[in-house]
Amino acid sequence: MIINPTYTGKQYWSTVIISGLLLSVLLSFAYVIFYQRLYVESSYLFSIIYLIPFVWLSVTLAYFKNKFVWSEFSYGKAFLMSLLSGIIGSLIFSGAIYILYAYVGIESRMGLYDNGRQIRELFSPLATALSMLIINVTLSLIYSLIIAIFARKKN
C-alpha cells in the first residue's frame, strides 16, 4: 500500500510564519551590511537588497513543496504562502529599519544631498521605513505571482 502524505494546516502556516521571520532577519542583516559597504550616491550594487526576497521566497516554496507536498499544490496555495511570507518579512524589516534609524544611530545619507527641510523629512526614519514597506510589499506581490507559477504541483 502506497501512502501519499501531504501537508497539514499547521505545517503550512508555521512555514509561512517562520519564513517571514527569517526573511526579515536576512533582509535586516543584508541592509545594514550593504548600507555600510555599498551605498554611494550612484551605486547600483545596493539594489541587490531587492532581489533577496525573490530568492528567499523561491527557496521557501521549493523546500515546502519537496518536504511536505506529495499530492496537489495549487497555484492559490503557493501564491498565498509566498505573499504572506513576504508581507510578514516586510513588516518586521520595516520596523527594524525604523529602529535602526531612530534609536540605534545609523545615520541617513542626507549628506549626499541638499540639507533642506523637505529632504530631511523625506529621509526621516518613519519615511524611510514606510517607503521600504511599500517597496517590499509590492515586490512580494510581484514575486509571489511569478514564483507560484513554478511552485504549483498537479497530480
Side-chain angles (χ1 to χ4, degrees), residues 7-8 10-11 14 20 23 28 30 47-49 56 58 81 86 97-98 105-106 112 117 120 130 133-134 143 150 153:
Y7 61 93
T8 64
K10 185 177 179 180
Q11 291 167 333
S14 63
L23 175 62
S28 300
S47 300
I48 294 170
I49 194 82
W56 183 259
S58 299
M81 176 181 273
I97 291 296
Y98 179 76
I106 290 183
L112 298 174
R117 185 178 144 266
R120 281 194 302 273
L130 287 176
L133 177 66
I134 291 168
Y143 293 159
F150 299 103
K153 184 176 182 179

Side-chain angles (χ1 to χ4, degrees), residues 37-148:
R37 304 283 182 226
L38 297 177
Y39 195 88
V40 293
E41 188 171 352
S42 60
S43 174
Y44 62 90
L45 290 174
F46 188 71
S47 300
I48 294 170
I49 194 82
Y50 300 115
L51 295 177
I52 290 173
F54 182 73
V55 173
W56 183 259
L57 295 174
S58 299
V59 168
T60 299
L61 275 171
Y63 172 79
F64 183 80
K65 189 172 104 172
N66 292 327
K67 180 85 172 165
F68 298 115
V69 179
W70 291 65
S71 63
E72 281 194 17
F73 191 50
S74 69
Y75 177 84
K77 288 288 187 182
F79 172 75
L80 187 63
M81 176 181 273
S82 183
L83 181 65
L84 290 177
S85 295
I87 289 173
I88 290 169
S90 299
L91 286 170
I92 297 171
F93 173 61
S94 295
I97 291 296
Y98 179 76
I99 290 168
L100 286 171
Y101 279 110
Y103 301 111
V104 174
I106 290 183
E107 76 279 351
S108 70
R109 302 295 184 177
M110 282 192 304
L112 298 174
Y113 305 100
D114 182 16
N115 279 334
R117 185 178 144 266
Q118 184 178 10
I119 295 295
R120 281 194 302 273
E121 289 173 4
L122 291 174
F123 282 96
S124 71
L126 182 61
T128 304
L130 287 176
S131 69
M132 291 303 281
L133 177 66
I134 291 168
I135 290 167
N136 282 317
V137 167
T138 304
L139 287 175
S140 293
L141 176 65
I142 294 168
Y143 293 159
S144 297
L145 290 169
I146 296 168
I147 293 168

Side-chain angles (χ1 to χ4, degrees), residues 1-41:
M1 178 162 104
I2 298 175
I3 298 173
N4 287 330
T6 189
Y7 61 93
T8 64
K10 185 177 179 180
Q11 291 167 333
Y12 182 85
W13 290 107
S14 63
T15 302
V16 167
I17 292 169
I18 291 169
S19 174
L21 291 173
L22 291 176
L23 175 62
S24 66
V25 169
L26 181 66
L27 277 173
S28 300
F29 182 72
Y31 185 85
V32 170
I33 297 297
F34 290 168
Y35 193 78
Q36 296 295 327
R37 304 283 182 226
L38 297 177
Y39 195 88
V40 293
E41 188 171 352

